[in-house]
Amino acid sequence: MSILTVTAVNAQQKLNPEIEKKIDILMSKMTVEEKVGQMNQYNGFWDVTGPAPVGGTAEQKYENIKKALVGSMLTVRGVKEVKAVQKIAVEQTRLGIPLIIGFDVIHGYKTISPIPLAEAASWDLEAIEKSASTAASEAAASGINWTFGPMMDISRDARWGRVMEGAGEDPFLGSKIAVARIKGFQGDNSFQSPLKIAASAKHFAGYGFVVAGLEYNVAEIGQNTLYNQVLPPFKAAVDQGLKTVMTSFNTLNGIPASADQYLLREILKNKWGFSGFVISDWASIREMIPWGFSKDESAAAKSAVEAGTDMDMEGGIYLPYLIDLVKQGKVDQKYVDDAVRRILRVKYELGLFDDPYRFLDEKREKEIVGSKANNDAVLGMAKKSIVLLKNEKNLLPLKKSGQKILLLGSLASSKNSPLGSWRIAADNNTAVSVLEGMKSYKNNTLNFVEGPKLTHEEPTFLAEVHYNTTDKSGLEEAKNAAKNADVVVMVLGEHGFSSGEARSRTNIDLPGLQEEFLKEIYSVNPNVVLVLNNGRPLTINWASENIPAIVEAWHLGTQAGNAVAQVLYGDYNPSGKLPMTFPRNVGQIPMYYNDYATGRFTDKDGNVFWSHYSDAEKTPLYPFGFGLSYTTFEYSDLKINKKSFAKGESAKVSVTLKNTGKYEGKEVVQLYIHDEFASVVRPVKELKAFQLITLKPGESKSVEFNLTEMELGFYNNNGDFVVEPGSFKIMVGGSSETELTEEFELL
Ligand code: GLC
């Protein structure tokens, strides 16, 4: 296999010559052992976020830190704990190279924001950046200087538990959100502030396309999908100054991502000019052996380092094997030098050499972690993340007085589930529950009945969630209570630990007894508001048909209950739009809006020979980009100021948006294009721009978009970005199913 050369970083990510000089000097002093030590990351001694650590006992790890055989720790947190290990590395080793401390700051640190998929539903890039910045400030104040996020895996498969962690199915929205999150984590990339941390784009690449939605599985992806769907968010992240990348557990077309030279060297490091470093996922280098790719640990070490994986996360592979491989001449030193240079570069850029303790200020930790400002920030994010899916009989917003409201469901009183699954640093039961949020509205009578238990025991991060499918106790009590209520609010869905890593499901209905519970309550009182708590699209067909009001409230984090209550009571008019298609049934998956026409897209001849299911509709339950408001919006007068324009020119698209309802509201105006003929078949529609517009009742506004060839191009199968002349359609509206269309010609 031809080994790709290790090339110096090209211009895309500017290097600092001062830092490069310091790295030269430091590396000239380092032994091979010390170099490989930098490529070794150990898990801390408290939490595990994967299978049992293989790196050794705590004592062995401390010993290796002292021998300068550790470059990084993960899941060590808190100023005191981090200072303990950092002091060893800085004060007790020959060269005093500081550790870089990583942690999964996925949606908040201790003050938890909505799960990333929920944040994506806000389409509010400023709010998302602010959310990441809030998370970064708490993590940095706790001694962390690197987060394993943002996760930017595009996915169209709600069976996969980790859709909660990304930004949904669309590469354009996913790219914008990836950049917003990196700006929140890294700021302007100067790291002058001790409250900014290095980001890690993960999981590189193709993880969201695992076959059958199964975790850690195979991903077989063609060039067209790889270049146009999977890679764009990562490219946008590199262009934003990303500092690290994490490889994914899956194989991509037969090659484990941690050993994929094509991805790591050809694309990421050479073509895109990425100057940071690549870390494996948890033991993903070691797992190339059970994949049947590496015959043993030594072979795994060789393949991974030559491919461009610079650091081994808790895999126990690089440290024991790479030193000998280099000394025996079986691995060229240049691969180790490239990796170490990259790792040292990020440590210098973070200021860790100037002051290894700059992130370690106990007073600042006390001031920042859990502050009111941070709670206000995650509350704001949570409200914006809520999507109104249905609101008939004007059941919502709830009246603020004189109503008898019944609140039902285990999830309504849960203070743990709303935190989601990636919230290791948060203390248990620190979320504001929906019950607590609703209680703050005191002029109604509020009655709470749990009803049948959701799960047999309290779910945890490390164990399967077992839903109650048999014990109906509590159902009669709930039904009796429902008979006397004006409105019944039911909080149903998935427990927070039911989505996330290693949480694949073959059935994405409401789990356990919940649908039966819903039907029984509806049978005695049809005025039901269903509030969903979930980490993935759910196939809620019966509810969608019968329940008058449905609110998508995901897992909204620490301030979940206040956000839900303020939306239900109309103090915040819901403005979210779905970042991922909700299918009618799991058999339709993978289902996504930016689909292709195929040769037989409709039954135009009335025969059966067209692309459809004989047992189900082909349409989604709720489409990408969909979301209602307490007010209504009307789109009209879509115009493009040129019927044709040439490459290098631009055109102006305008549409009139009017608030035709009774409430002030915010609308996400979305612009899609369709390239009608091209050298590679193009999706029937692709999101290319969006704007958040707030209008008062009766107010209207002309919303304008600037259209250039950049919105019209695509990657061909060689990975080249091309813009081809031809006829295009534009569609503008409040969801991907808008009918408002205009045409133009690119010359
Ligand atoms: C996990 C996840 C990854 C995470 C890492 C460290 O297995 O796949 O996203 O950052 O291990 O916790």
Side-chain angles (χ1 to χ4, degrees):
M1 154 178 47
S2 71
I3 301 286
L4 287 152
T5 53
V6 171
T7 56
V9 168
N10 49 31
Q12 282 93 321
Q13 286 196 341
K14 294 265 174 298
L15 300 183
N16 174 333
E18 287 304 303
I19 288 179
E20 296 307 301
K21 195 140 194 48
K22 289 175 183 171
I23 295 170
D24 291 343
I25 295 165
L26 180 54
M27 284 183 69
S28 67
K29 299 174 187 165
M30 293 170 77
T31 63
V32 178
E33 287 77 5
E34 287 164 333
K35 287 181 178 177
V36 172
Q38 286 301 302
M39 301 165 70
N40 176 40
Q41 181 190 62
Y42 280 147
N43 187 57
F45 319 119
W46 293 271
D47 307 284
V48 286
T49 53
V54 294
T57 64
E59 292 67 31
Q60 286 163 335
K61 291 180 177 180
Y62 275 116
E63 270 316 298
N64 280 339
I65 297 174
K66 280 188 193 128
K67 294 178 195 158
L69 297 177
V70 184
S72 173
M73 299 287 291
L74 78 140
T75 328
V76 176
R77 65 180 193 273
V79 167
K80 263 215 304 291
E81 286 79 7
V82 173
K83 195 177 276 184
V85 289
Q86 193 65 292
K87 276 176 79 67
I88 298 171
V90 171
E91 299 171 21
Q92 299 180 31
T93 63
R94 189 173 76 88
L95 295 170
I97 299 174
L99 299 167
I100 180 170
I101 304 293
F103 193 86
D104 289 290
V105 188
I106 309 297
H107 55 102
Y109 175 71
K110 208 167 195 71
T111 307
I112 301 298
S113 61
I115 57 172
L117 188 64
E119 290 193 351
S122 73
W123 294 52
D124 187 330
L125 301 177
E126 276 173 37
I128 291 170
E129 179 179 340
K130 166 88 180 138
S131 175
S133 178
T134 301
S137 68
E138 287 202 350
S142 306
I144 311 276
N145 25 67
W146 173 29
T147 175
F148 304 129
M151 185 271 221
M152 48 188 81
D153 302 322
I154 296 297
S155 186
R156 301 154 163 178
D157 191 336
R159 295 170 297 182
W160 188 47
R162 299 193 80 163
V163 294
M164 56 68 65
E165 201 174 338
E169 70 192 41
D170 180 67
F172 178 83
L173 181 62
S175 300
K176 294 290 183 189
I177 289 175
V179 168
R181 286 181 171 144
I182 287 168
K183 285 159 85 172
F185 288 135
Q186 299 191 174
D188 61 5
N189 298 326
S190 69
F191 299 102
Q192 298 296 322
S193 158
L195 298 181
K196 292 300 173 189
I197 57 178
S200 180
K202 69 183 187 181
H203 304 81
F204 198 60
Y207 198 13
F209 284 73
V210 281
V211 169
L214 262 182
E215 198 57 278
Y216 315 118
N217 201 7
V218 170
E220 297 289 328
I221 307 176
Q223 296 294 72
N224 182 25
T225 299
L226 179 66
Y227 274 106
N228 290 297
Q229 307 297 328
V230 172
L231 294 180
F234 290 95
K235 174 72 168 57
V238 170
D239 293 345
Q240 179 53 35
L242 173 73
K243 291 303 164 197
T244 75
V245 165
M246 182 184 293
T247 60
S248 51
F249 284 121
N250 57 286
T251 54
L252 177 60
N253 304 328
I255 310 288
S258 304
D260 192 329
Q261 297 179 32
Y262 175 65
L263 274 181
L264 301 177
R265 285 215 189 277
E266 188 165 332
I267 297 176
L268 178 67
K269 292 183 175 181
N270 296 346
K271 187 167 187 174
W272 292 354
F274 173 65
S275 67
F277 69 86
V278 173
I279 182 164
S280 76
D281 202 335
W282 183 290
S284 62
I285 297 174
R286 170 173 293 278
E287 290 174 6
M288 298 196 310
I289 300 165
W291 266 114
F293 180 82
S294 303
K295 66 181 185 336
D296 55 31
E297 285 92 341
S298 187
K302 177 177 169 65
S303 302
V305 73
E306 289 176 350
T309 296
D310 303 311
M311 189 181 278
D312 172 14
M313 177 193 287
E314 194 53 64
I317 291 287
Y318 276 178
L319 187 60
Y321 296 94
L322 210 40
I323 296 164
D324 289 343
L325 283 167
V326 170
K327 288 185 173 173
Q328 292 157 15
K330 292 177 180 168
V331 165
D332 192 316
Q333 169 100 22
K334 68 181 178 183
Y335 296 113
V336 168
D337 287 346
D338 179 54
V340 175
R341 173 173 292 277
R342 291 169 177 274
I343 293 165
L344 295 177
R345 180 179 293 138
V346 174
K347 290 184 176 182
Y348 271 109
E349 289 170 341
L350 280 166
L352 285 169
F353 279 95
D354 297 336
D355 175 5
Y357 304 113
R358 68 188 297 249
F359 291 86
L360 301 172
D361 176 334
E362 292 199 43
K363 182 169 164 297
R364 184 170 60 209
E365 183 179 32
K366 285 193 180 62
E367 276 165 14
I368 290 179
V369 179
S371 70
K372 182 178 180 320
N374 290 352
N375 275 280
D376 290 347
V378 299
L379 172 58
M381 186 74 253
K383 290 188 283 191
K384 293 172 179 172
S385 303
I386 291 174
V387 184
L388 180 62
L389 296 177
K390 190 177 175 186
N391 185 26
E392 285 170 356
K393 303 193 303 189
N394 282 323
L395 216 47
L396 292 175
L398 300 173
K399 294 183 186 61
K400 290 194 174 174
S401 63
Q403 276 199 313
K404 289 180 289 184
I405 295 178
L406 173 66
L407 181 64
L408 294 177
S410 308
L411 291 173
S413 58
S414 174
K415 293 173 63 64
N416 224 19
S417 174
L419 298 175
S421 63
W422 272 117
R423 39 81 167 199
I424 312 162
D427 299 323
N428 269 341
N429 298 311
T430 50
V432 175
S433 67
V434 173
L435 175 58
E436 290 165 332
M438 295 288 282
K439 276 182 179 169
S440 60
Y441 287 81
K442 305 206 182 297
N443 298 330
N444 280 327
T445 49
L446 178 68
N447 185 5
F448 168 68
V449 175
E450 182 176 7
K453 286 221 172 300
L454 178 70
T455 58
H456 291 300
E457 66 282 313
E458 181 57 29
T460 66
F461 180 74
L462 292 173
E464 291 296 350
V465 178
H466 298 113
Y467 284 98
N468 167 24
T469 55
T470 53
D471 179 2
K472 297 185 184 178
S473 45
L475 179 59
E476 286 316 308
E477 181 195 3
K479 283 177 75 172
N480 291 333
K483 286 172 190 160
N484 311 317
D486 295 323
V487 181
V488 182
V489 176
M490 295 187 77
V491 184
L492 305 174
E494 296 177 310
H495 189 278
F497 284 126
S498 230
S499 57
E501 184 174 354
R503 297 308 198 257
S504 300
R505 293 177 64 196
T506 59
N507 172 331
I508 55 174
D509 296 339
L510 287 171
L513 293 171
Q514 297 182 101
E515 179 135 322
E516 183 181 344
F517 185 19
L518 180 62
K519 288 176 177 173
E520 288 289 344
I521 296 300
Y522 181 75
S523 68
V524 296
N525 187 332
N527 293 332
V528 173
V529 175
L530 170 60
V531 176
L532 290 172
N533 279 195
N534 46 308
R536 72 182 92 209
L538 296 177
T539 42
I540 50 164
N541 293 287
W542 186 87
S544 178
E545 272 297 302
N546 297 283
I547 299 301
I550 303 175
V551 176
E552 173 53 78
W554 314 103
H555 296 119
L556 290 173
T558 304
Q559 287 294 327
N562 286 327
V564 169
Q566 290 180 28
V567 163
L568 294 186
Y569 274 105
D571 285 337
Y572 183 84
N573 182 359
S575 53
K577 299 282 186 178
L578 294 178
M580 197 169 174
T581 300
F582 275 47
R584 294 177 186 280
N585 68 61
V586 76
Q588 292 176 304
I589 289 175
M591 183 172 216
Y592 42 101
Y593 87 94
N594 48 352
D595 202 345
Y596 295 84
T598 80
R600 300 185 185 183
F601 197 52
T602 57
D603 59 341
K604 62 182 184 317
D605 309 332
N607 63 44
V608 294
F609 305 109
W610 63 288
S611 176
H612 75 297
Y613 298 106
S614 48
D615 61 351
E617 286 190 49
K618 192 174 160 185
T619 54
L621 186 61
Y622 297 108
F624 174 84
F626 175 79
L628 300 175
S629 167
Y630 291 148
T631 192
T632 49
F633 291 102
E634 186 185 81
Y635 286 80
S636 62
D637 205 16
L638 173 60
K639 281 205 288 273
I640 184 165
N641 68 347
K642 298 172 183 171
K643 285 313 253 179
S644 66
F645 62 97
K647 286 185 188 178
E649 294 177 350
S650 64
K652 192 144 319 292
V653 175
S654 63
V655 70
T656 300
L657 179 71
K658 182 171 183 180
N659 179 338
T660 49
K662 295 186 307 192
Y663 292 87
E664 177 174 301
K666 182 177 3 175
E667 172 73 337
V668 182
V669 179
Q670 303 154 47
L671 181 144
Y672 298 85
I673 64 132
H674 173 47
D675 183 349
E676 295 190 292
F677 305 93
S679 58
V680 177
V681 292
R682 309 297 301 127
V684 292
K685 60 190 78 166
E686 295 171 273
L687 179 71
K688 291 296 177 182
F690 59 88
Q691 290 183 38
L692 276 59
I693 306 291
T694 298
L695 295 177
K696 293 190 181 352
E699 188 183 4
S700 64
K701 176 184 168 74
S702 175
V703 184
E704 293 189 353
F705 296 93
N706 195 38
L707 202 58
T708 69
E709 62 196 59
M710 289 315 288
E711 284 75 47
L712 309 177
F714 61 91
Y715 287 95
N716 64 20
N717 284 342
N718 301 326
D720 304 320
F721 187 79
V722 295
V723 180
E724 297 179 353
S727 52
F728 288 80
K729 273 191 183 141
I730 41 169
M731 296 143 266
V732 177
S735 105
S736 60
E737 291 196 345
T738 178
E739 311 267 315
L740 208 51
T741 303
E742 255 301 340
E743 302 204 340
F744 68 93
E745 194 79 18
L746 180 68
L747 304 175

